Amino acid sequence: MDVSGGHLLGDSVITTKIDAVINWGREASLWPFVFGTACCAIEFMATAASRYDISRFGAEVLRFSPRHADLLVVAGTVSYKQAPILKQIYDQMPEPKWVIAVGACASSGGFYDNYTTLQGIDEIVPVDIYVAGCPPRPEAILDAIIGIQKQLKKEPTLQLRSNLEFKGKLDG
Amino acid sequence: MDRAESMDRLLERFKKSFLSQMIGGTPLLMAHPDELREMIVYLKEKMGYPLLLDITAIDNLLSAHPPASRFEIVYLFRESEFGYVIGVKCPVSDAQEGVESIIDLYGAADWLEREVWDQYGIAFRGHPMLKRILNHEEFVGHPLRKDYEITKGQYCTKTQDLQDEMKPLLEARGLDEERDHLMILNLGPSHPASHGTIRTLVALDGEKIVAGAGEIGYLHRGFEKSCENHTYNQIIPYTDRLNYCSALMNNIAFAKTVEEMIGIELPERGVYIRVLLAELSRVIDHLVCLAAGLLDMGGQTNYWYLFNPRNDAYDFLSKLTGARLTNSYMRIGGMAYDLYEGWESDLDAVLGKVDKGVAESLQMIEHNRIFQDRLLGVSPVSAQKAIDFGFTGPNLRASGVPYDMRFAAPYYHYDTFDFDMVVGSVGDTYDRLMVRFEEILQSLKIIRQVIKRMPDGAVCVADHAVTLPPKSSVYTSIEGMMNQFKLIYEGVKVPKGEYYGAFEAANGELGFYIVSDGSGTPYKVKVRAPSFVHMAAYPKIIEGYQVGDAILTLGSLNIIAGEMDR
C-alpha cells in the first residue's frame, strides 16, 4: 500500500511560498558545529546523548568542519587567546548561519570578569540566541535550538541576512 | 636513616639556609639563592624526593611586612613513599635575572617554569624554551603580579604557528621538514578529538609521528587571580569549574585544605557525605573519560552505555544540590545542607545502573580483538618516566606505581574502608583505560560501605566563626546577625601562613597551595593540577606512534582543560 499519500494527490500541484518550503527544510536539518571549550560542552554531550536526544529536533548531524555546518553552538568560556580561532571558524561557515551562545561565559563572560576572559562572544561574532545557565541544563540547550527554528521560519531566504553588517572587535 | 636525621644532615650541609614550617608542620626549607639548586639536587638524589609537584611564586608587593625581595619562588616535592611533602622557598632578588632552571633534574619542571615566567615574569636561567604558556603571545605584563589589574583584558589577534618549538625538535632528531618529506599537521584547538581546547602540532613521516609540540592556555580563565579577589566561600563555585567532570571533588578538596589551615574537623556525618560524593564524582569522571575515549575509537555504543548511568548520577546530584554539573555544595566547615530524605534508595538505583553500564561496556571490549590491537603497547610510560613527568592518579598507577593518596596519606577514614588500589603494569593506553574501569568498581564498593555506615548528626562544624548560623538565630539574636554579617562581608578568617593541601582527585593529586594574610580572602592560591603535567608529557609520549593512536592516548590521559589551564 502506498502510505505516502501520493495516490490521493495524483499529479496535482501545491502552491506555497518559496520561503516556506526552504525554511521548512532548513528548520528540520540544522547541522551544528559545536565549539565546545568547557563545562557547557559536557552538558552539550548530554544533550546529544540518548536521554535528551537532540535528533528529535533534526539537529543531530554534528559537524566538525565549519564548512559543513550552519549552526554554531559556542558552548563554554572563550578566552582572548581563543577569540581569533572562534572568529576564523565563524568566517569559514557558509551563509546562512546562526549562532547560539550557550551559558553565562559565552553570553557575557560569566563570573570570569578578569584579564583573560572575553566578556561575551558577541564582541567577536553576532549571536542569535543566548542561553542562560552555568552550565544550562540540556533542556535549555534544546530550547535554544527550537528558538533558532522559530526564528529562521520568519527569515526571507533570498535576502542576505542582517548579520553581514556585524562588526566585531577583531574585524579589521 | 630517619627523616629527622637526614634533615639535620641537609641543614648541616647548607649553612646559609634554614628550616621553617608551613601550617600543620609540613617542612619548608628557606633556601639561600646561592644554595637553591644544589639543595634541590640533594633533595632528589640523597633524600629521595623524586616527584616534583609544583613550582610557583609569591609576589610580596602588598604583603603587610614585605621581605627584602619582592618575589619568592616555591617548589613542592613529594618523597618516594609518597606520604610526605616538602617545600623549598627562595627569595628572588631580581625577576629578570631569575633563578636557575631545574629542567634537567625534573621533566615536570619544563611547563611549570614556563607558567611562573608567564604569570609572574620570573626568568629561569638555562630553560631552553622560556615563553608564555597560559596567556597569548601578544599579552603585555604578568597577570599574577599584584600590580596587574584583574579586569585588564588584552585582545589577541592571531595564533602562533609553533614553528619556534617544532624547528628545534626536528633539529635535535636530525630531521628536516623539506629533505625528509615530513608533513606538519595541526590538531586543535578546535578539533573533534582534542577534548576541548588542546592544541598539538605534530611532524609526520608517513603516518608516524616523529615530533610533537603542545600548546595550551586556550581555556585559561584566571582562576588564581580571581581567588585573590574573593572570600574563601566565594571561591567554591570557581573550584567547580576546574575539573568540571567531577566538580564536587574540587569543592571538597578546596574546603578540606582551608579547614586544615584553620584547624577544624568536620562532624562524622559530614566526613562520610564527603567520601560518598567524592567517590561518586570519581565514578562520573571516569565514565566521561571512558565514554569519550571509546567514542574516539569508534565504539559509539559504549558512549550510550556509559553516558546514561552518568545521567542518572546527575539526576541524584541535582536532587541533592540543585545542579547537575557545577554543584557548589561544599562550604568551608561543612556543606550547604544535609542529605535529603530517601537518598539511599535513589543512590542505590544509580549504583545499580552504573554497575550494569560498566558490565555491558566491558562485555563488548574486554575480549575484543580490535580494542586490544589498537591499545596494547601504545604510548607506554615507564614507572620512572611517569614520576619524572610528574604523573599522579590513574595515569601514574597505570604505569605500575602504587601511589594513591587514599593509601599513602589516608584522610577521611579511607584507611577503614575495604577497597583495593588499582595498579597497571606497563602504562600503555590500554592500562590507562582499564585502570579507570576497575577504579569505578572500587569506588562503587566504597560508596556501598558508606551507605551502610552513614552516621547521624550534624554535617557542619558548630563554630559560627566558620559556618553560617541558622536563619532562626540570624533573625532573632544580635549575635547570630553579627556572625552572618561578618562571614558574608569579610569571609572566614584563616590564620596567617601558608599551606599545601592535597586530595586524591579523579585525575590525580589535586593540590591547593594557599598563602593567607590572616584575612577572609586568600593572598595567593595555586592549584596543583594533575592535567597540567599530564599534558606536558603528551607530545613526548606520542612520538613514534600514529595519529590515530595519539587521539586515543589523549583520551586515555583524560586531560580536562578547565583544570589544566585554570
Side-chain angles (χ1 to χ4, degrees):
Chain A
M1 195 183 78
D2 182 3
V3 293
S4 66
H7 62 293
L8 294 175
L9 294 172
D11 55 0
S12 52
V13 174
I14 295 173
T15 57
T16 179
K17 285 191 270 182
I18 193 146
D19 281 353
V21 175
I22 293 177
N23 281 337
W24 178 63
R26 279 180 179 171
E27 171 200 8
S29 61
L30 287 166
W31 285 18
F33 177 97
V34 185
F35 192 81
T37 59
C39 339
C40 287
I42 305 287
E43 280 302 65
F44 190 89
M45 282 163 77
T47 314
S50 47
R51 167 88 67 94
Y52 295 98
D53 196 6
I54 200 169
S55 62
R56 291 181 291 155
F57 306 93
E60 82 278 21
V61 190
L62 304 182
R63 293 290 95 179
F64 290 106
S65 165
R67 304 274 188 214
H68 299 168
D70 54 7
L71 174 64
L72 179 63
V73 180
V74 183
T77 317
V78 176
S79 64
Y80 287 111
K81 192 171 179 174
Q82 186 86 275
I85 293 156
L86 174 65
K87 178 178 155 41
Q88 192 181 352
I89 284 172
Y90 178 78
D91 290 346
Q92 283 173 341
M93 288 171 66
E95 286 284 344
K97 53 190 170 185
W98 296 271
V99 180
I100 299 177
V102 177
C105 290
S107 302
S108 70
F111 71 171
Y112 292 104
D113 184 9
N114 60 31
Y115 64 93
T116 175
T117 310
L118 191 67
Q119 300 299 301
I121 57 163
D122 49 9
E123 290 191 11
I124 306 295
V125 296
V127 176
D128 293 288
I129 292 204
Y130 299 85
V131 188
C134 188
R137 292 181 61 90
E139 292 93 332
I141 300 177
L142 291 176
D143 185 55
I145 288 172
I146 297 168
I148 293 281
Q149 290 177 333
K150 279 188 189 150
Q151 181 189 325
L152 73 83
K153 261 195 203 161
K154 293 188 202 122
E155 289 174 0
T157 53
L158 296 176
Q159 268 171 33
L160 288 174
R161 294 187 72 234
S162 58
N163 62 9
L164 289 182
E165 291 154 22
F166 178 85
K167 265 263 176 278
K169 286 268 167 60
L170 296 183
D171 290 301
Chain B
M1 191 163 51
D2 68 356
R3 210 165 272 117
E5 204 177 316
S6 61
M7 183 59 81
D8 288 343
R9 285 215 189 158
L10 178 138
L11 292 170
E12 241 167 64
R13 175 150 175 194
F14 300 101
K15 292 239 163 18
K16 291 185 198 162
S17 308
F18 63 96
L19 182 66
S20 174
Q21 269 186 354
M22 297 191 200
I23 296 173
T26 306
L28 180 67
L29 285 160
M30 309 296 277
H32 189 275
D34 299 343
E35 297 178 339
L36 175 68
R37 194 189 146 84
E38 260 179 81
M39 184 185 281
I40 293 174
V41 174
Y42 188 88
L43 276 177
K44 185 185 179 200
E45 280 163 12
K46 296 278 160 41
M47 290 185 52
Y49 282 87
L51 184 63
L52 172 65
L53 289 174
D54 211 348
I55 306 177
T56 187
I58 303 171
D59 179 1
N60 290 309
L61 187 69
L62 303 180
S63 173
H65 306 285
S69 59
R70 176 174 168 189
F71 295 103
E72 284 171 302
I73 190 150
V74 180
Y75 299 82
L76 293 164
F77 301 93
R78 198 170 268 283
E79 50 118 45
S80 51
E81 299 291 314
F82 303 109
Y84 288 85
V85 174
I86 197 168
V88 176
K89 198 175 188 181
C90 178
V92 181
S93 49
D94 181 358
Q96 279 299 324
E97 178 86 0
V99 294
E100 233 175 300
S101 169
I102 56 164
I103 191 169
D104 52 326
L105 298 169
Y106 293 93
D110 184 352
W111 279 21
L112 290 171
E113 288 179 351
R114 273 176 67 185
E115 188 190 325
V116 175
W117 161 248
D118 185 5
Q119 299 282 50
Y120 287 94
I122 296 173
F124 289 86
R125 294 190 298 274
H127 192 294
M129 185 60 63
L130 196 63
K131 60 177 218 175
R132 289 190 184 274
I133 186 160
L134 295 178
N135 295 295
H136 53 84
E137 284 292 311
E138 293 160 59
F139 199 90
V140 180
H142 300 282
L144 282 191
R145 287 190 174 186
K146 290 282 181 188
D147 50 5
Y148 192 94
E149 197 191 326
I150 180 169
T151 51
K152 195 178 153 205
Q154 302 185 21
Y155 282 92
C156 168
T157 54
K158 56 179 184 295
T159 45
Q160 302 180 61
D161 60 5
L162 288 186
Q163 284 301 321
D164 55 337
E165 289 187 49
M166 185 50 87
K167 284 225 170 83
L169 283 173
L170 290 178
E171 268 166 35
R173 288 157 183 74
L175 293 168
D176 182 76
E177 190 187 334
E178 299 267 310
R179 191 193 65 217
D180 297 301
H181 307 292
L182 300 179
M183 181 179 143
I184 305 289
L185 182 70
N186 181 54
L187 301 164
S190 183
H191 185 277
S194 77
H195 286 252
T197 56
I198 297 152
R199 181 180 177 203
T200 323
L201 191 75
V202 290
L204 296 176
D205 182 3
E207 271 278 300
K208 203 176 87 178
I209 297 168
V210 290
E215 194 197 6
I216 65 165
Y218 288 104
L219 195 56
H220 179 48
R221 303 194 269 197
F223 173 85
E224 280 140 4
K225 188 81 173 176
S226 296
C227 285
E228 294 170 13
N229 289 273
H230 290 83
T231 63
Y232 286 93
N233 270 321
Q234 284 175 335
I235 294 169
I236 300 261
Y238 285 98
T239 64
D240 271 336
R241 289 152 184 84
L242 288 172
N243 180 350
Y244 33 72
C245 292
S246 51
L248 271 168
M249 220 162 195
N250 306 310
N251 284 182
I252 298 172
F254 181 75
K256 176 173 167 279
T257 305
V258 178
E259 284 154 15
E260 282 164 357
M261 284 180 89
I262 308 173
I264 46 175
E265 269 187 36
L266 240 55
E268 283 297 279
R269 189 175 170 83
V271 169
Y272 278 96
I273 292 177
R274 283 194 177 175
V275 174
L276 181 115
L277 294 174
E279 293 307 321
L280 188 62
S281 302
R282 193 186 313 279
V283 169
I284 295 172
D285 196 279
H286 287 354
L287 283 175
V288 177
C289 167
L290 292 167
L294 291 165
L295 180 67
D296 290 346
M297 235 182 104
Q300 195 165 16
T301 317
N302 291 284
Y303 178 70
W304 314 126
Y305 282 180
L306 298 173
F307 233 68
N308 284 345
R310 169 190 168 273
N311 246 328
D312 295 313
Y314 276 175
D315 285 346
F316 169 74
L317 288 182
S318 49
K319 204 167 166 184
L320 173 63
T321 70
R324 280 162 55 87
L325 200 75
T326 45
N327 315 85
S328 299
Y329 179 56
M330 292 301 146
R331 300 286 182 273
I332 310 301
M335 50 212 69
Y337 29 76
D338 202 344
L339 296 167
Y340 63 91
E341 210 156 294
W343 64 276
E344 294 101 329
S345 55
D346 282 0
L347 184 60
D348 202 51
V350 172
L351 300 186
K353 283 180 180 154
V354 175
D355 255 340
K356 187 160 170 270
V358 169
E360 280 177 332
S361 178
L362 274 176
Q363 206 178 357
M364 280 194 292
I365 57 166
E366 209 170 10
H367 302 290
N368 183 329
R369 180 75 193 274
I370 303 169
F371 180 75
Q372 296 185 350
D373 281 356
R374 288 215 56 190
L375 298 181
L376 280 171
V378 170
S379 295
V381 183
S382 71
Q384 199 195 347
K385 266 242 167 99
I387 290 176
D388 183 52
F389 287 144
F391 277 23
T392 48
N395 294 340
L396 179 65
R397 292 193 284 275
S399 299
V401 181
Y403 166 46
D404 184 327
M405 270 202 70
R406 293 171 295 172
F407 289 87
Y411 48 88
Y412 288 167
H413 309 315
Y414 269 111
D415 45 348
T416 64
F417 292 108
D418 171 29
F419 72 110
D420 295 324
M421 193 194 305
V422 186
V423 179
S425 50
V426 291
D428 56 3
T429 303
Y430 181 85
D431 277 355
R432 283 189 287 269
L433 288 183
M434 290 320 255
V435 161
R436 286 190 168 84
F437 266 115
E438 186 58 35
E439 279 195 5
I440 292 179
L441 302 178
Q442 294 300 328
S443 289
L444 295 180
K445 207 169 156 186
I446 300 175
I447 297 173
R448 292 202 163 101
Q449 293 171 55
V450 175
I451 296 177
K452 275 195 201 124
R453 278 157 61 172
M454 183 64 75
D456 289 332
V459 294
C460 295
V461 293
D463 182 356
H464 291 310
V466 178
T467 53
L468 291 175
K471 280 282 180 286
S472 56
S473 102
V474 175
Y475 293 140
T476 54
S477 75
I478 186 76
E479 194 197 350
M481 198 183 78
M482 280 313 290
N483 278 334
Q484 165 101 8
F485 182 84
K486 282 187 89 76
L487 271 177
I488 296 294
Y489 274 81
E490 293 171 9
V492 182
K493 295 278 194 309
V494 172
K496 196 169 159 16
E498 61 203 288
Y499 185 74
Y500 175 74
F503 192 86
E504 183 68 36
N507 259 343
E509 179 171 341
L510 174 68
F512 289 93
Y513 173 74
I514 302 179
V515 179
S516 166
D517 54 4
S519 70
T521 305
Y523 187 76
K524 176 202 163 63
V525 176
K526 171 73 172 64
V527 187
R528 193 270 165 196
S531 283
F532 184 82
V533 285
H534 293 159
M535 182 58 205
Y538 172 68
K540 298 184 183 111
I541 65 175
I542 57 172
E543 222 171 89
Y545 297 90
Q546 301 191 345
V547 178
D549 299 334
I551 302 300
L552 302 184
T553 304
L554 185 66
S556 75
L557 288 170
N558 194 27
I559 288 158
I560 304 289
E563 174 187 84
M564 171 178 75
D565 291 339
R566 285 152 285 139

